[in-house]
Amino acid sequence: MANVEFLALSGLDDKEKSCLVLNINDNIFILNCGIDIPSVSTLGIQGFVPDFAYLAENKSKIKGLFIGTAYYEKFGGLQYMKDELIPKIYTSEFNKKIIEGEINKKLDFEVLTSLTPIVFNNIKVTPFKIANFLPSSLGFIFSVDDENYIYIEDGVVTATNSKFTKNDLLALFPITNGKKNILLTTPGIVNVESGFAAPHFDPQHFINGIIEDAQRTIIALYSFELYKISAIFESAIKFNRQVTFVNKKTLALARELQSQGYLQKNVKIVDFESVKGNNSVIIIVDENKHKLYVLMESIIAGECQPFIFNAQDTFLFASSTINGYEKKEADLFDNVNRTHVKHAIKLDKQIIDFKPGGEDLKFLVSLFQPAYVIPVDALYMKFVLMARAISELIPTQKILILDNGRKIKFNNGVYDTHFENIPINAQPISLEGAIDLAGGSLIERKQMQADGAVVVSFLIDQTNKKVLQSKYEMIGVGELNEENAGVLKGIKDEVNDEFNRTLAQLDGNSIREQIRDVKMNIRRKLDKQFLAKFEKRPLIVITTVLRSFR
């Protein structure tokens, strides 16, 4: 008789899940060890890592960490996990290379082959190929007695056989037919696409149209979207273009993936330093969703030499808009347009993410005939939409909500309605990239809740040492009526005058190195000003963009 528990050890106020635990007869299998990256509105916090206390208390029971799709949000927590707690990692060869390139630790891997099972104490784990935005992504079936616990992350149903779309779903029928199946799966983009995702995720035709008519092309996208990078490479072949990457890690990885056939071999990848004077190169800017906008800001500010935007450039933002990042994206386009590029283009809304739609989820339910379905990594609204999409195939009471710390239990494949909770305290990571054990970042969040925030940005001419433009935005400090607008203008004028006086005294050759101290002084002045004028102490966030003007 199998006693099974399934729980999540992380998550924000919504229902993101970056670390899951499947406990089968006291054999613990970890699914992912990621990092929850909050939306832009969560100032002062880079992300949250899982609460590892449960794993530390049950260390002797852990059999391994299984990572099916290797993107930062699913393995970034390894950087913050104690070395002695990190178990052997079971994943594909491709995923192994991605993880090794990002995590600065010595890790123990076992590379898995699709449909070749491994056994732990009479529990058989069968990896299988799934189709999604990364090649060689895996799902897992954990089999005990006549029960199967099937984990699939963003699996899309396709009939084609490319490196991204090949899958082994139909080959699982002998394993799952006639068994008690429990399906653990992500809801994908059911809120966007009610049908099958394929072929609507394919950006090839759109990217061809951009690159064909452009000279130098700068394409920004999230780093996990390798299928889009593959499409860019196809366009590079078609229009005889060279390709480079701003991110040196990605450039090195792309060359390695190219040598192994994951990326097209007949595309010339050039060093980023060689782009000066190359007016037809494709420059790819990729990072995770937290860092991409920071990287783009530094490029726009001219801090990524030898690359500077020029009037003949075409800029393409090739990723879909993420909830909570709408303002970041809008500000990015505003700043790119200020560089006077020829074109600034957003990916066509008709091109959806390479994630399952409603019909993909229906196919999985039809294929496995699960007794229960547990949506993982989902906002509640997505849970509702997923339940609605598959309700004609499985009763809604058989679709279970997974809350952080709540143990969903099965006894011999039957759901135990008497659930148990364990305390979960996901650790915040400060903007400096360290675990904030003292909770300073959370204190800042409480400060914002009580007194609001003031976001200030300065455009600085570092050659002539003066402020060219400034923008002050009050969030939750007070109503911006005529009286308060006048007060804010007075604060702005006084702070800008002091900033200019301070800049004039700096060494012109090292302004960038000195600007941090200047920002601290300005922050203190603003704090005093808002306390005096509004009787509040809002969180002060200052951004400076330095440019050279002759």
Side-chain angles (χ1 to χ4, degrees):
M1 181 175 177
N3 294 310
V4 177
E5 296 176 345
F6 184 58
L7 66 154
L9 300 180
S10 64
L12 304 178
D13 298 334
D14 50 37
K15 297 186 179 300
E16 291 188 38
K17 307 292 184 300
S18 63
C19 184
L20 305 167
V21 172
L22 185 63
N23 186 339
I24 304 175
N25 293 337
D26 282 338
N27 295 274
I28 289 178
F29 303 92
I30 307 170
L31 294 162
N32 301 324
C33 181
I35 178 171
D36 291 321
I37 299 178
S39 69
V40 67
S41 60
T42 312
L43 298 175
I45 295 175
Q46 176 177 321
F48 289 84
V49 294
D51 186 343
F52 297 125
Y54 174 86
L55 298 178
E57 292 170 3
N58 294 277
K59 181 181 176 182
S60 62
K61 302 175 184 177
I62 297 174
K63 301 307 174 187
L65 167 61
F66 292 77
I67 297 177
T69 303
Y71 61 107
Y72 185 71
E73 285 86 340
K74 297 303 178 185
F75 64 78
L78 286 168
Q79 194 65 53
Y80 305 94
M81 196 178 199
K82 290 183 178 179
D83 291 350
E84 61 269 22
L85 188 57
I86 299 176
K88 179 179 285 190
I89 300 171
Y90 295 85
T91 191
S92 67
E93 179 66 34
F94 172 85
N95 289 345
K96 174 177 177 287
K97 294 185 183 301
I98 297 288
I99 297 166
E100 287 178 326
E102 288 286 342
I103 302 299
N104 187 27
K105 288 186 176 186
K106 186 177 180 180
L107 303 172
D108 182 18
F109 287 92
E110 181 165 332
V111 173
L112 302 177
T113 302
S114 182
L115 302 178
T116 301
I118 51 178
V119 179
F120 304 85
N121 297 334
N122 297 320
I123 300 166
K124 184 170 70 173
V125 182
T126 305
F128 57 93
K129 176 74 175 69
I130 62 172
N132 64 20
F133 44 84
L134 291 176
S136 297
S137 291
L138 297 173
F140 304 101
I141 298 181
F142 298 85
S143 303
V144 56
D145 300 332
D146 65 343
E147 302 167 35
N148 291 313
Y149 295 84
I150 307 165
Y151 180 77
I152 299 177
E153 187 173 310
D154 292 324
V156 171
V157 178
T158 64
T160 55
N161 200 30
S162 74
K163 54 184 170 292
F164 288 96
T165 58
K166 182 181 184 302
N167 65 81
D168 291 325
L169 291 175
L170 296 181
L172 303 177
F173 185 75
I175 302 173
T176 60
N177 184 38
K179 301 294 179 66
K180 296 177 183 177
N181 299 319
I182 289 87
L183 178 61
L184 322 169
T185 189
T186 50
I189 52 171
V190 66
N191 57 319
V192 175
E193 179 56 57
S194 59
F196 286 104
H200 309 298
F201 57 76
D202 187 356
Q204 190 66 66
H205 181 73
F206 181 80
I207 291 175
N208 283 349
I210 300 298
I211 293 176
E212 180 181 16
D213 297 328
Q215 293 189 25
R216 190 170 69 171
T217 310
I218 298 90
I219 303 178
L221 74 169
Y222 298 121
S223 53
F224 59 83
E225 298 179 296
L226 194 66
Y227 74 103
K228 290 179 180 174
I229 295 178
S230 179
I232 294 167
F233 272 50
E234 285 290 348
S235 293
I237 295 170
K238 184 177 181 67
F239 302 110
N240 194 27
R241 303 292 183 90
Q242 296 177 344
V243 173
T244 191
F245 294 82
V246 175
N247 188 326
K248 290 185 177 180
K249 283 186 179 180
T250 309
L251 189 145
L253 178 64
R255 283 176 169 155
E256 185 172 356
L257 296 179
Q258 192 180 49
S259 69
Q260 297 177 8
Y262 290 111
L263 290 173
Q264 295 83 336
K265 292 185 177 181
N266 49 343
V267 173
K268 185 175 182 181
I269 302 175
V270 298
D271 291 336
F272 178 64
E273 291 73 17
S274 69
V275 301
K276 188 174 183 179
N278 188 337
N279 294 322
S280 64
V281 68
I282 300 171
I283 301 173
I284 299 175
V285 186
D286 77 294
E287 260 296 357
N288 66 53
K289 65 184 181 182
H290 172 72
K291 295 180 180 179
L292 179 62
Y293 298 94
V294 176
L295 178 56
M296 281 302 305
E297 285 176 9
S298 68
I299 292 172
I300 293 167
E303 297 173 359
C304 287
Q305 298 291 340
F307 169 58
I308 299 176
F309 277 107
N310 66 51
Q312 298 305 312
D313 285 340
T314 293
F315 172 75
L316 169 63
F317 190 82
S319 291
S320 300
T321 302
I322 294 178
N323 290 337
Y325 282 74
E326 295 89 350
K327 188 175 186 304
K328 279 277 190 184
E329 190 178 300
D331 288 344
L332 171 61
F333 270 91
D334 184 53
N335 290 330
V336 168
N337 280 312
R338 289 174 187 269
T339 67
H340 304 294
V341 295
K342 188 174 183 179
H343 300 292
I345 303 167
K346 179 74 169 71
L347 183 72
D348 192 323
K349 290 183 179 180
Q350 300 301 313
I351 300 171
I352 63 176
D353 290 335
F354 197 161
K355 294 182 178 182
E359 289 296 329
D360 296 283
L361 297 172
K362 286 182 183 178
F363 179 90
L364 295 178
V365 173
S366 297
L367 176 65
F368 298 123
Q369 297 291 306
Y372 301 92
V373 174
I374 306 177
V376 297
D377 200 22
L379 296 168
Y380 182 72
M381 180 53 67
K382 280 195 177 182
F383 167 84
V384 172
L385 292 171
M386 178 178 175
R388 192 175 297 164
I390 62 177
S391 60
E392 63 188 64
L393 301 173
I394 185 170
T396 53
Q397 64 267 27
K398 301 289 186 178
I399 306 170
L400 309 178
I401 294 180
L402 178 66
D403 288 322
N404 281 295
R406 176 187 173 183
K407 293 182 179 180
I408 294 181
K409 298 183 179 182
F410 297 95
N411 296 315
N412 200 28
V414 178
Y415 174 53
D416 184 350
T417 57
H418 298 88
F419 60 85
E420 173 188 351
N421 287 318
I422 64 170
I424 294 293
N425 295 293
Q427 297 289 344
I429 304 169
S430 70
L431 291 177
E432 288 74 29
I435 292 183
D436 189 0
L437 296 175
S441 300
L442 294 180
I443 292 172
E444 288 183 346
R445 293 184 78 186
K446 292 179 180 178
Q447 180 184 355
M448 285 189 293
Q449 187 175 15
D451 290 345
V454 175
V455 181
V456 186
S457 57
F458 296 99
L459 175 61
I460 300 170
D461 178 353
Q462 62 180 349
T463 304
N464 299 300
K465 296 190 290 186
K466 65 180 181 180
V467 175
L468 294 179
Q469 293 179 9
S470 63
K471 181 180 179 181
Y472 290 67
E473 183 180 4
M474 295 195 310
I475 305 169
V477 178
E479 182 183 353
L480 196 59
N481 53 32
E482 185 175 346
E483 180 182 353
N484 285 344
V487 173
L488 183 61
K489 184 180 184 304
I491 294 174
K492 175 180 177 180
D493 291 343
E494 186 174 340
V495 169
N496 284 4
D497 287 345
E498 180 162 333
F499 205 162
N500 278 319
R501 288 195 297 271
T502 305
L503 286 171
Q505 299 171 11
L506 299 181
D507 180 355
N509 295 320
S510 57
I511 286 182
R512 193 174 303 281
E513 290 74 18
Q514 302 169 74
I515 202 70
R516 182 174 181 179
D517 291 337
V518 178
K519 288 166 66 175
M520 289 179 64
N521 292 333
I522 294 298
R523 186 177 288 110
R524 283 193 286 267
K525 184 172 184 64
L526 284 168
D527 184 69
K528 291 179 181 178
Q529 291 274 19
F530 275 89
L531 183 60
K533 304 293 186 182
F534 292 93
E535 298 183 350
K536 287 188 175 184
R537 303 194 68 175
L539 181 69
I540 309 293
V541 180
I542 300 176
T543 301
T544 55
V545 176
L546 279 69
R547 292 188 182 169
S548 297
F549 296 89
R550 302 293 179 185

